[in-house]
Amino acid sequence: GDWARRSCALLLLLSPLLAPSRVRSQLIEEERLEEYERRGYSWPSPHYVPDTPGWRALMERRFEQLVSTVPSDHDRYNIFLATVTSALVAQNFTENGRSAAALSL
């Protein structure tokens, strides 16, 4: 009864003190840039996968189009991630580094 009510009230009053403090999980921009430099990153990337002139030209064109034609930050970010995956991560298996769709144009 009364003891349970008092215990709950005390717990509610003390809960902010007992909860772990918030941890900042994001870097502020200056810290992010310092970390970027510390790790030796560069942009645009010096290497593409595969690193052929045709693939490089196609991916650089996609990055340029992204900046100039996609107004929404959210859409631009999602398309940027997909383009980075195509340009730098996913292996392209065509002979000259161009996609089959680009070759048929």
Side-chain angles (χ1 to χ4, degrees):
D2 192 40
W3 181 86
R5 256 188 242 121
R6 287 183 185 178
S7 296
C8 285
L10 182 61
L11 183 60
L12 286 172
L13 287 172
L14 295 177
S15 62
L17 300 174
L18 299 173
S21 63
R22 290 186 174 196
V23 176
R24 186 179 62 142
S25 62
Q26 296 176 333
L27 295 176
I28 60 173
E29 185 63 8
E30 286 179 5
E31 293 172 345
R32 187 194 67 78
L33 290 172
E34 287 173 9
E35 187 63 20
Y36 184 87
E37 292 292 325
R38 188 185 72 73
R39 293 181 183 192
Y41 294 154
S42 64
W43 189 259
S45 176
H47 304 286
Y48 288 87
V49 178
D51 203 6
T52 63
W55 191 246
R56 175 176 289 280
L58 181 65
M59 291 297 109
E60 287 177 357
R61 180 171 177 247
R62 285 186 184 171
F63 283 119
E64 289 169 9
Q65 287 175 332
L66 176 64
V67 171
S68 64
T69 62
V70 182
S72 163
D73 289 342
H74 178 75
D75 292 341
R76 191 168 39 251
Y77 177 76
N78 286 331
I79 296 168
F80 175 80
L81 289 181
T83 305
V84 165
T85 301
S86 295
L88 306 175
V89 179
Q91 179 66 49
N92 178 311
F93 295 103
T94 62
E95 182 179 332
N96 64 356
R98 297 191 76 147
S99 67
L103 292 174
S104 66
L105 296 178

